[in-house]
Amino acid sequence: SLQIAGGIPDTLPSYLLESSIPQEAPELAPFISLPDLGLISSVRWHEGEPVKMLIVGNQAGASHTHEDKGHFVLEYAGETVAMEMGTCDYSHPMAEVLKHCGRHNMLVPVGMEERSRPQNPIMADIKPKGQGDAASFHAEMNVSPGWEEYYRSWVRIWDSPAPDEWTITDSYELIRGT
């Protein structure tokens, strides 16, 4: 926040917290799992640049959420390779549209009159399981809960035996749509 604002706190929280912000950022852990929240992250290095992965799950019944359980963000050297659309101010007319699954890197069934989407909120835990270290990363997640109207099953797997090699596999069986 301070870097974006040119070193000047631009919100009350950043102003109040400014004196407690360390001058040097902590070393980034190569693997972090927050199982209660359903988040996994990886930070590894390739040619002196960070390779970052964030995978987002769901805590059953979580409110104020997007239709994005199972989406991910992949960055290399500060550039986004696989993106998460993000959102805008919630008073903006596009705010609702930017929460839709089609604005995230999800498999979205098409070919129907209605816009396919998961229930929201999803009343099931959708949490990635995985492991990683400075060399490799693996995670998988059953992302079919909430999509029962469209998917019989859907599992997403992220494999990265080295920071410069990624394979993301979706195994699924549709009930409706293409």
Side-chain angles (χ1 to χ4, degrees), residues 97-114:
V97 172
L98 292 176
K99 295 191 286 186
H100 291 177
C101 51
R103 298 292 181 152
H104 298 74
N105 51 22
M106 307 292 295
L107 292 181
V108 181
V110 296
M112 298 162 291
E113 286 188 28
E114 80 272 13

Side-chain angles (χ1 to χ4, degrees), residues 58-98:
N58 182 67
Q59 192 174 27
S63 63
H64 196 76
T65 61
H66 295 200
E67 301 170 354
D68 63 354
K69 308 317 168 245
H71 88 271
F72 59 94
V73 179
L74 177 60
E75 295 180 354
Y76 172 63
E79 297 293 324
T80 303
V81 177
M83 72 182 297
E84 151 62 28
M85 287 295 286
T87 190
C88 55
D89 187 287
Y90 286 130
S91 65
H92 191 281
M94 283 295 292
E96 184 60 33
V97 172
L98 292 176

Side-chain angles (χ1 to χ4, degrees), residues 149-163:
E149 192 175 333
Y150 302 97
Y151 287 100
R152 185 164 284 109
S153 63
W154 178 14
V155 174
R156 182 167 266 186
I157 297 172
W158 298 262
D159 271 314
S160 179

Side-chain angles (χ1 to χ4, degrees), residues 135-156:
S136 66
F137 174 81
H138 173 86
E140 57 187 79
M141 183 173 8
N142 176 5
V143 289
S144 54
W147 286 94
E148 289 82 2
E149 192 175 333
Y150 302 97
Y151 287 100
R152 185 164 284 109
S153 63
W154 178 14
V155 174
R156 182 167 266 186

Side-chain angles (χ1 to χ4, degrees), residues 16-82:
L16 295 173
L17 293 170
E18 182 182 23
S19 64
S20 64
I21 297 173
Q23 292 299 311
E24 294 294 321
E27 185 174 321
L28 300 172
F31 179 80
I32 295 176
S33 175
L34 301 173
D36 290 343
L37 293 176
L39 299 171
I40 284 183
S41 72
S42 168
V43 177
R44 295 172 295 149
W45 297 86
H46 176 67
E47 297 179 350
E49 297 289 345
V51 178
K52 299 178 181 180
M53 170 64 83
L54 173 67
I55 299 172
V56 179
N58 182 67
Q59 192 174 27
S63 63
H64 196 76
T65 61
H66 295 200
E67 301 170 354
D68 63 354
K69 308 317 168 245
H71 88 271
F72 59 94
V73 179
L74 177 60
E75 295 180 354
Y76 172 63
E79 297 293 324
T80 303
V81 177

